[in-house]
Amino acid sequence: MADASLLLRRAGFGPTSAELAAAKKAGYEATVAALTAPAAPDVGALKAPVPGLGPDPFAGLSNPTPSQRSKGDEERREQTKRITQWWLDRLTVADHQTREKLWFFWHGHWATSVRKVIRPQLMLVQHKTLRSSLDFATMAHRMITDPALIYWLDGQLNTRTAPNENLGRELMELFMLGIGRYTERDVKEAGRALTGWKIDYDRGRAYFSPASHDSGRKRILGVTKDFDAHSLVDLLLKHEACPGFIAERLWFRYASSADLIPMSTRDSMVRAFPDSMAMLRKLFEDDAFQASAGKLVKQPTEWFVGAMRQLGLRPGRLSDEMLTYALNALERMGQLPFAPPSVEGWAAGAEWLTVGAAQVRLNLAGRIAQLVPAQRLTPEDVAHVLAVETWTNRTYSALKGTTDPQRLLTLGLVSPEYLVT
């Protein structure tokens, strides 16, 4: 029998006990349909409106004084903290959990970090761009001229007299085709196609400078043409490797980071390309998805947001001290939204289970448990609240050994049954 619990844990950020009960009552097929084609609008998400950051503190300052620079740097840090808190809050309160999880997936796919981009306004522009479409073809066209991605991969330095290969290489290797499906010459020629894009930092947008663009003919993947950014994206979208590569990435994050995607599953998902939600629906309906139970470790952000949802808490209402603690903990566990460590995105699987990460998670779980009003709890109560189907004998023994409700919640949040899906 198809497991609705597995579906809800993988499709969103952690189901509440009420959501799990409703899914079991509705049945697996109906739940897949509801998750992948949710009714609009998302009432829950309306509780977390996008924050208005205002202009970058350095806008209009060509030569800031040391005092202005110090003040501006601090304001940027606060703005970054504000949008990170907002996103975690939205992930928690949104009703359309599958959409939110998919948009978070795309953030990791087009991995761009505020640590280099510096300007949180540009990160928020990119965030809105990712949300503007779940059609991968549309998304790819919009992202290739996204100012944060351009800056992240030095695209603003890419000119006809000094071509830069960074964006062209990652566009093929990490974003659209995958390793080994292009040559070094293809990368160089793609770099030429992407020349000419500049960034208007004050307005938070990219613009095309014809004088900086190499308008000559380029030969890419066996096709000769006077490629530019958008015709390059069109070429990659038509490449036979592109749909399968996106299917592989979805499998990696939603099914198993250890096993290769079965060919039949891949083919089924490819037929739904470029609609990424439709591809995800095909995955959820596939027997291989059910067979992948126990093959994923929750990402730190997924774990934190799930705990918030299930315990009735909101990141947007945390004290500044607790928020700072939580964001530091997420960073130390290896996953802070808006700050992936590299263009390759975040780690997966056992890499989330290091000794250091385990200690940080335990400490954060304890702090989260302290936010829950005091109440009498049993191991069965904790399982119900955290939507855990059952405890192993080992975990149950540990839980039954304490009557402290905060300790019970802490142990439940760091248990293997909660961490591994």
Coordinates of all heavy atoms in Angstrom, one line a residue, residues 108-112 149 152-153 170 174-175 340-345:
G108 N 18.4 25.7 -4.4 CA 19.6 24.9 -4.3 C 20.1 24.5 -5.7 O 21.3 24.3 -5.8
H109 N 19.3 24.4 -6.7 CA 19.7 24.1 -8.0 C 20.5 25.2 -8.7 O 21.6 25.0 -9.2 CB 18.5 23.7 -8.9 CG 18.8 23.2 -10.3 ND1 19.2 22.0 -10.6 CD2 18.8 23.9 -11.5 CE1 19.5 21.9 -11.9 NE2 19.3 23.0 -12.4
W110 N 19.9 26.4 -8.7 CA 20.5 27.6 -9.2 C 21.3 28.3 -8.1 O 21.2 29.5 -7.8 CB 19.5 28.6 -9.8 CG 18.7 28.0 -10.9 CD1 17.4 27.4 -10.8 CD2 19.0 28.1 -12.3 NE1 17.0 27.1 -12.1 CE2 17.9 27.5 -13.0 CE3 20.1 28.5 -13.1 CZ2 17.9 27.3 -14.4 CZ3 20.0 28.4 -14.4 CH2 19.0 27.8 -15.1
A111 N 22.1 27.5 -7.4 CA 22.7 27.9 -6.1 C 23.4 29.2 -6.2 O 24.4 29.3 -6.9 CB 23.6 26.8 -5.6
T112 N 23.0 30.2 -5.5 CA 23.5 31.6 -5.5 C 23.6 32.1 -4.0 O 22.6 31.9 -3.3 CB 22.7 32.6 -6.3 OG1 22.5 32.0 -7.6 CG2 23.3 33.9 -6.4
L149 N 22.6 35.9 -10.1 CA 23.3 34.8 -10.7 C 24.4 35.3 -11.6 O 25.5 34.7 -11.6 CB 22.3 33.9 -11.5 CG 23.0 32.6 -12.1 CD1 23.2 31.6 -11.0 CD2 22.1 32.0 -13.1
W152 N 27.2 36.4 -9.2 CA 27.7 35.2 -8.5 C 28.7 34.5 -9.3 O 29.7 34.0 -8.8 CB 26.5 34.3 -8.1 CG 26.7 32.9 -7.6 CD1 26.2 31.8 -8.1 CD2 27.3 32.5 -6.4 NE1 26.5 30.7 -7.3 CE2 27.2 31.1 -6.2 CE3 28.0 33.2 -5.4 CZ2 27.7 30.4 -5.2 CZ3 28.5 32.5 -4.3 CH2 28.4 31.1 -4.2
L153 N 28.5 34.4 -10.6 CA 29.4 33.7 -11.5 C 30.2 34.7 -12.5 O 30.6 34.3 -13.5 CB 28.6 32.7 -12.4 CG 28.0 31.5 -11.5 CD1 27.1 30.7 -12.3 CD2 29.2 30.7 -10.9
E170 N 28.9 26.6 -15.8 CA 27.9 26.1 -14.8 C 26.5 25.9 -15.4 O 25.7 25.1 -15.0 CB 27.9 27.0 -13.6 CG 29.2 27.3 -12.9 CD 30.0 26.0 -12.6 OE1 29.5 24.9 -12.7 OE2 31.2 26.2 -12.2
L174 N 25.9 22.3 -14.2 CA 25.2 22.2 -13.0 C 23.7 22.6 -13.2 O 22.9 22.2 -12.4 CB 25.8 23.1 -11.9 CG 27.2 22.7 -11.5 CD1 27.7 23.7 -10.4 CD2 27.2 21.3 -10.9
F175 N 23.4 23.3 -14.2 CA 22.0 23.9 -14.3 C 21.2 23.2 -15.4 O 20.0 23.0 -15.2 CB 22.1 25.4 -14.6 CG 22.8 26.2 -13.6 CD1 23.4 27.4 -14.0 CD2 22.9 25.8 -12.3 CE1 24.0 28.2 -13.0 CE2 23.6 26.6 -11.3 CZ 24.1 27.8 -11.7
P340 N 24.0 29.2 0.0 CA 24.6 27.9 -0.3 C 26.1 28.0 -0.3 O 26.6 29.1 -0.7 CB 24.0 27.5 -1.6 CG 23.5 28.8 -2.2 CD 23.1 29.6 -1.1
P341 N 26.9 27.0 0.1 CA 28.3 27.1 0.2 C 29.1 27.3 -1.2 O 30.2 27.8 -1.2 CB 28.7 25.8 0.8 CG 27.7 24.8 0.5 CD 26.4 25.6 0.4
S342 N 28.5 26.8 -2.2 CA 29.1 26.9 -3.5 C 28.0 26.8 -4.6 O 26.9 26.6 -4.3 CB 30.1 25.8 -3.7 OG 29.5 24.6 -4.0
V343 N 28.5 27.0 -5.9 CA 27.5 26.9 -7.0 C 27.0 25.5 -7.1 O 26.0 25.2 -7.8 CB 28.2 27.3 -8.3 CG1 29.2 26.3 -8.7 CG2 27.2 27.6 -9.4
E344 N 27.6 24.5 -6.5 CA 27.1 23.1 -6.5 C 26.0 22.9 -5.6 O 25.4 21.8 -5.5 CB 28.3 22.2 -6.2 CG 29.4 22.1 -7.2 CD 30.5 21.2 -6.8 OE1 30.4 20.6 -5.8 OE2 31.4 21.1 -7.6
G345 N 25.6 23.9 -4.8 CA 24.5 23.8 -3.8 C 24.9 23.1 -2.6 O 26.1 23.1 -2.2

